[in-house]
Amino acid sequence: MSSNQFFNHQGPWSDATEPLMCTDTGDWRTKRPVVDREKCIFCGFCAIYCPVQVMEMKADYFEPDLGFCKGCGICAKECPKNAITMVSEGEFVS
Amino acid sequence: MAEKKKGRLTNVLDYLKHDDPFSKGVAFCPGCGLELLLRFIPRVLGNDIVITGTPSCSAPVLLGQNRQSWHTLSYFGTLMTGAAANATGLVRYYKKAGIDNTVVCFNGDGTANDIGFGNLSGAAERNEPFIYICYDNEGYMNTGIQKSGTTPYGATTTTTPYGTVHRGKNLRRMNLGLKMAMNKIPYTATATLSDLEDLAKKLLKAKKAKERGFCFLHVFAPCPTGWGADPADTIDICRQAVKSNYFPLWEAENGKIRMTKTVKKPKPVSSYTKMMKKFNHMTEKDMKILQEDVEYEYCLLGGLSVLEAECQLPVSAEDGGEKL
Ligand SMILES: Cc1ncc(C[n+]2csc(CCOP(=O)(O)OP(=O)(O)O)c2C)c(N)n1
Ligand code: SF4
Ligand code: SF4
Ligand code: SF4
């Protein structure tokens, strides 16, 4: 018997008709990762190490989903080419 | 414009075959090692696993709130005292009902090494067919960073503070992984987040080995909030822990230990401890005690890994020991 027959729905605590809970964790951020697309060699290290898993694969570079990126700075630290800079969110306030 | 120089995409992505079952914004601190581990497991093992877990930092996210959930996995919330006993009940039910699936009993070190150790030990003895994963953040983080049996010597926590009387934890860290491997269960392994391919391979091996019985993974997962570390350093802390032999990577099939990574020139443990505030106060003397403990455990591991090849009698039986 396949397990999928039993587990193709949401977890037992959830109501399958309601969407998953989601917090705007992007609001927590004090620094924003900015990717230099020219420097990026498309190795994917930033993506695998990001705890929130928000580094999205584009044509030949990676880019964070800023709606949920918590600004931890792991991607910038782990990038072998230093293609990611953590920039203070204050810089982006217009 | 010249063609941009491209590297090779990391192998780790090949192991991420399944969707991330968690919603994008969940309530773990920035840089939390537990979050990376929790998102990684179902992406490697599949979304049809059943997770059980206890009150801990993982619970607010795994349990959900009111009628809503943070993820689409099946989850069974248990008490800290009965984590492995509850997972045992689940696998036995599935076996009787003829349902083939993977139960992952996912707990912090406080549950695994201390409060829920009795029934973890029992499940290992009975060789229950599920995967027990302990994420080791070296303390009871969710209740405010208290020390656990895996908190290392010297580390400050809220119950082992540094001050005029105390100098952090004055007891040594327990080695949970070795303790479990000694039970000759089908599969035991240590893993950490800097070596994700190694972790993925071990998860897949455990999924296979659980057909033969109990599997135990001990995963080192830093807690920047509790350890006083920069959230950006989480992965590097794991790397330094491996490079200094503070957290060696090995696996054991039926108790037979094999190193999955050996470090040619181990760094001093201070290269690891300097990355977080919980060790800030340590003097050279304190550091020596920790260093010697790390070396002792590594020697023990080395000795056990050659045990089968050149099994020797304990020294005292040969010379010096009382002859009967
Ligand atoms: C038997 C029992 N004792 C104490 C508690 C209180 N408690 C809730 S969460 C927690 C900490 C759990 O620590 P650990 O398992 O290491 O997970 P972490 O918080 O580090 O993620 C404790 C002690 C409890 N729920 N049950
Ligand atoms: S780690 Fe750096 S070089 Fe590699 S994909 Fe990410 S941004 Fe590009
Ligand atoms: S800063 Fe942290 S959360 Fe944001 S993309 Fe980088 S690793 Fe992910
Ligand atoms: S306290 Fe530590 S283990 Fe708990 S969510 Fe925060 S960083 Fe993670």
Side-chain angles (χ1 to χ4, degrees):
Chain A
M1 209 186 295
S2 152
S3 56
N4 292 339
Q5 210 174 320
F6 293 86
F7 302 114
N8 57 2
H9 48 72
Q10 295 191 351
W13 271 88
S14 70
D15 181 334
T17 60
E18 288 186 40
L20 289 183
M21 276 187 290
C22 196
T23 298
D24 293 328
T25 47
D27 288 357
W28 300 0
R29 202 173 49 238
T30 54
K31 282 182 178 173
R32 173 186 300 194
V34 177
V35 182
D36 181 335
R37 295 181 192 178
E38 286 305 311
K39 275 193 190 169
C40 170
I41 56 162
F42 203 57
C43 65
F45 284 131
C46 53
I48 60 165
Y49 289 131
C50 168
V52 196
Q53 295 287 295
V54 287
M55 270 289 177
E56 291 171 354
M57 193 191 279
K58 304 288 178 193
D60 65 351
Y61 62 93
F62 281 80
E63 200 171 68
D65 178 344
L66 292 174
F68 301 99
C69 159
K70 295 175 182 173
C72 65
I74 288 179
C75 52
K77 171 125 190 182
E78 294 304 319
C79 173
K81 291 289 160 189
N82 291 324
I84 305 176
T85 323
M86 298 303 290
V87 182
S88 167
E89 279 295 328
E91 304 280 317
F92 300 95
V93 180
S94 53
Chain B
M1 204 174 72
E3 178 80 349
K4 202 173 86 171
K5 200 170 161 279
K6 273 199 195 175
R8 211 167 60 88
L9 266 177
T10 161
N11 287 344
V12 175
L13 290 169
D14 299 340
Y15 291 89
L16 302 177
K17 288 200 168 39
H18 306 274
D19 290 339
D20 185 345
F22 290 89
S23 87
K24 280 193 170 174
V26 298
F28 292 119
C29 310
C32 173
L34 163 62
E35 175 163 12
L36 178 56
L37 177 63
L38 207 42
R39 288 182 186 272
F40 192 79
I41 293 168
R43 291 192 76 189
V44 175
L45 291 184
N47 282 197
D48 54 357
I49 55 173
V50 178
I51 296 206
T52 78
T54 62
S56 65
C57 272
S58 65
V61 173
L62 283 172
L63 266 175
Q65 265 129 42
N66 302 324
R67 290 177 63 197
Q68 270 185 289
S69 166
W70 296 100
H71 61 84
T72 55
L73 297 166
S74 289
Y75 176 70
F76 179 33
T78 77
L79 297 179
M80 291 180 81
T81 40
N86 285 278
T88 298
L90 264 186
V91 282
R92 289 192 177 193
Y93 162 73
Y94 289 133
K95 202 173 160 195
K96 270 206 164 158
I99 301 167
D100 172 28
N101 67 358
T102 303
V103 174
V104 176
C105 186
F106 185 81
N107 307 302
D109 51 285
T111 302
N113 188 74
D114 308 346
I115 297 182
F117 184 71
N119 53 96
L120 160 59
S121 176
E125 186 196 8
R126 296 187 310 269
N127 205 20
E128 302 290 351
F130 64 90
I131 307 174
Y132 195 117
I133 299 180
C134 166
Y135 63 94
D136 190 356
N137 49 25
E138 302 190 329
Y140 296 81
M141 294 329 190
N142 193 52
T143 36
I145 340 276
Q146 291 86 13
K147 79 114 196 131
S148 75
T150 60
T151 306
Y153 176 81
T156 51
T157 63
T158 48
T159 44
T160 57
Y162 169 69
T164 45
V165 181
H166 298 286
R167 311 185 49 77
K169 186 178 171 181
N170 59 0
L171 305 165
R172 64 186 295 275
R173 151 181 85 146
M174 300 178 89
N175 193 328
L176 182 58
L178 268 187
K179 220 156 49 177
M180 297 316 295
M182 291 302 93
N183 298 308
K184 253 189 152 185
I185 50 178
Y187 192 70
T188 319
T190 63
T192 191
L193 303 168
S194 52
D195 295 70
L196 288 174
E197 189 171 359
D198 179 74
L199 170 61
K201 282 183 182 163
K202 286 169 174 172
L203 282 169
L204 293 171
K205 270 195 176 174
K207 191 174 181 179
K208 267 220 169 114
K210 75 130 186 13
E211 311 284 327
R212 291 181 283 118
F214 194 68
C215 297
F216 185 82
L217 295 189
H218 184 197
V219 187
F220 181 73
C223 161
T225 309
W227 296 7
D230 181 345
D233 285 345
T234 297
I235 305 298
D236 206 25
I237 286 176
C238 298
R239 197 174 286 124
Q240 298 310 326
V242 175
K243 284 190 172 169
S244 60
N245 282 341
Y246 176 85
F247 195 85
L249 299 179
W250 53 269
E251 65 181 4
E253 278 174 76
N254 300 319
K256 195 175 172 193
I257 290 172
R258 185 180 78 89
M259 304 304 298
T260 51
K261 186 162 195 162
T262 40
V263 187
K264 275 211 179 98
K265 276 192 190 153
K267 289 192 178 171
V269 76
S270 55
S271 68
Y272 159 79
T273 54
K274 71 174 184 214
M275 300 183 78
M276 57 212 99
K277 290 196 188 120
K278 68 174 176 177
F279 294 112
N280 257 1
H281 60 281
M282 281 178 70
T283 58
E284 241 171 65
K285 204 173 131 210
D286 294 328
M287 202 55 91
K288 195 162 165 269
I289 296 175
L290 183 62
Q291 179 73 45
E292 281 176 2
D293 204 35
V294 166
E295 283 167 19
Y296 161 77
E297 292 210 333
Y298 195 71
C299 281
L300 193 61
L301 201 56
L304 289 167
S305 65
V306 296
L307 201 59
E308 294 244 330
E310 32 190 294
C311 187
Q312 287 174 352
L313 288 174
V315 176
S316 63
E318 294 280 286
D319 40 47
E322 195 185 335
K323 303 247 169 21
L324 292 175

